Amino acid sequence: MSTSMGELSVSPAVSVILPVLNEEAHLEESISAILFQDYRGVFEVILALGPSQDRTDEIAESLSARDQRVKLVANPSGKTAAGLNLAVAASTHPIIVRVDGHAKIPQNYLTLAVEIIEKTGAVNVGGVMAAEGVSTFEKAVARAMRSPLGVGASRFHTGGEAGEVDTVYLGAFKREAINQAGGFDERYTRAQDWELNFRLRKNGGLIYFDPRLQVTYRPRPNLRKLAKQYFQYGTWRRVVSRSHSGTINLRYLAPPVTLIGCVTSVIGGALIHPILYIPVFVYGVFVGLSAALISRSMREFFSLLAIIPTMHFAWGAGFITSTKTLR
């Protein structure tokens, strides 16, 4: 008993925060994974509940009634950044760990995250967005999300060596660093993590990636929702690039350039000369080869033929059509 109490006394207390909206399908699994952590210190779980249209609130209330560590706060706007700020404000501990309602953390996640913070001095640490599907479509999306052929070479998607990075998935933060940076910018519907990490780095903080921090992520269940997700990614990444000059790179420009090139190729081939179909043909070959390399079954292969261009073109369309009024 004395050893256990000693470990409790030296482990910093942790607040796990989740912005939650329409997460009926995954919320109980997500919270159960948090509550059964092997962490030796004290931790609490703060759910910022948006105006869900399903049984999310009912499930959250049941979880809170069963375990006093689960606390609920209202997030009337339903916006992610607002929910994160409300959860931070309602929390009490020096380490803030962000988790999503459709994500599942491994049993040693809190222990490992705190250990990395203490070892590196980082103000935010994170790991791999380990997409994992249930249906054939979700499994195909997961394979695309974990491949450079689908999402580029970002370490939090595809893995890689531990070290300093621009941003990480979710994150375990030092509370004082979040407060000094002014919290999450509530004007951002998406990319609020990237934008906060930019300000943390500007303040001299270290953002650290460690591939041992694996978080199971549940992909969107159909093509329409996937397209909406990636359209928003592209839209808000453009907003970040306008707000913080010098933050754009070739990886972010690839989807809009590919979209413009393919549309121009189709129009030019139809109106001017068939030879102008070559760029869109080349992209089609790339998609086919990528699907063949990524897939593990024929059903996944055919799903990926639609999934890969949807991810690329939706992201590109969002980036191109993002208006200055958003910022």
Side-chain angles (χ1 to χ4, degrees):
M1 178 65 74
S2 59
T3 301
S4 177
M5 290 304 293
E7 288 172 334
L8 282 171
S9 66
V10 299
S11 299
V14 172
S15 294
V16 183
I17 63 171
L18 298 87
V20 178
L21 181 69
N22 295 324
E23 295 289 0
E24 175 184 6
H26 303 298
L27 184 60
E28 186 148 11
E29 178 185 40
S30 179
I31 300 304
S32 294
I34 298 169
L35 295 176
F36 285 96
Q37 290 290 293
D38 65 7
Y39 190 59
R40 296 292 187 177
V42 173
F43 67 91
E44 62 181 356
V45 185
I46 313 292
L47 306 184
L49 300 177
S52 294
Q53 303 301 310
D54 58 12
R55 295 179 55 253
T56 295
D57 287 4
E58 179 184 336
I59 295 169
E61 288 166 4
S62 175
L63 290 165
S64 181
R66 297 201 305 262
D67 195 311
Q68 63 181 1
R69 291 174 295 176
V70 180
K71 303 173 184 178
L72 312 180
V73 295
N75 176 24
S77 73
K79 293 182 178 180
T80 300
L84 289 167
N85 285 335
L86 287 165
V88 170
S91 67
T92 57
H93 300 321
I95 302 294
I96 304 290
V97 175
R98 179 186 171 180
V99 178
D100 279 342
H102 48 271
K104 180 181 177 182
I105 60 174
Q107 192 173 19
N108 67 339
Y109 188 84
L110 296 186
T111 299
L112 190 55
V114 171
E115 176 187 311
I116 296 167
I117 288 174
E118 293 179 336
K119 181 178 179 180
T120 64
V123 297
N124 185 17
V125 304
V128 178
M129 182 182 184
E132 184 178 299
V134 177
S135 68
T136 298
F137 179 85
E138 291 171 353
K139 289 177 181 177
V141 173
R143 296 197 192 284
M145 292 183 72
R146 300 185 71 169
S147 169
L149 298 172
V151 294
S154 176
R155 272 188 271 183
F156 74 79
H157 279 298
T158 60
E161 294 183 0
E164 182 176 0
V165 290
D166 289 343
T167 192
V168 291
Y169 177 54
L170 300 178
F173 303 80
K174 289 183 178 178
R175 181 192 193 88
E176 60 185 17
I178 294 179
N179 291 339
Q180 288 171 4
F184 292 87
D185 191 327
E186 297 184 14
R187 292 171 291 187
Y188 285 80
T189 299
R190 294 277 187 182
Q192 60 277 131
D193 291 339
W194 200 103
E195 197 279 334
L196 174 58
N197 283 322
F198 175 86
R199 285 182 283 122
L200 292 173
R201 289 187 286 112
K202 190 175 181 180
N203 287 348
L206 170 67
I207 312 299
Y208 196 85
F209 169 84
D210 193 308
R212 293 176 296 167
L213 291 168
Q214 297 267 333
V215 181
T216 300
Y217 170 85
R218 301 302 185 192
R220 296 299 190 268
N222 56 56
L223 211 58
R224 180 181 62 82
K225 291 185 177 181
L226 182 68
K228 179 180 179 181
Q229 177 187 24
Y230 273 79
F231 183 86
Q232 290 181 341
Y233 282 165
T235 297
W236 289 95
R237 190 60 189 82
R238 179 75 178 278
V239 175
V240 172
S241 70
R242 280 197 297 262
S243 303
H244 305 299
S245 60
T247 60
I248 203 68
N249 59 39
L250 292 178
R251 183 167 67 87
Y252 295 124
L253 293 175
V257 169
T258 299
L259 176 59
I260 292 171
C262 287
V263 171
T264 303
S265 175
V266 170
I267 294 173
L271 300 180
I272 302 173
H273 193 280
I275 197 171
L276 295 177
Y277 283 126
I278 289 177
V280 74
F281 174 78
V282 170
Y283 178 72
V285 171
F286 165 81
V287 171
L289 290 175
S290 298
L293 290 170
I294 296 171
S295 63
R296 295 294 180 271
S297 70
M298 285 302 295
R299 292 179 66 187
E300 285 186 7
F301 171 77
F302 286 112
S303 294
L304 283 163
L305 291 179
I307 288 166
I308 293 172
T310 294
M311 291 167 67
H312 292 170
F313 291 164
W315 203 103
F319 190 90
I320 292 167
T321 61
S322 179
T323 64
K324 292 183 178 180
T325 58
L326 290 174
R327 186 64 169 145

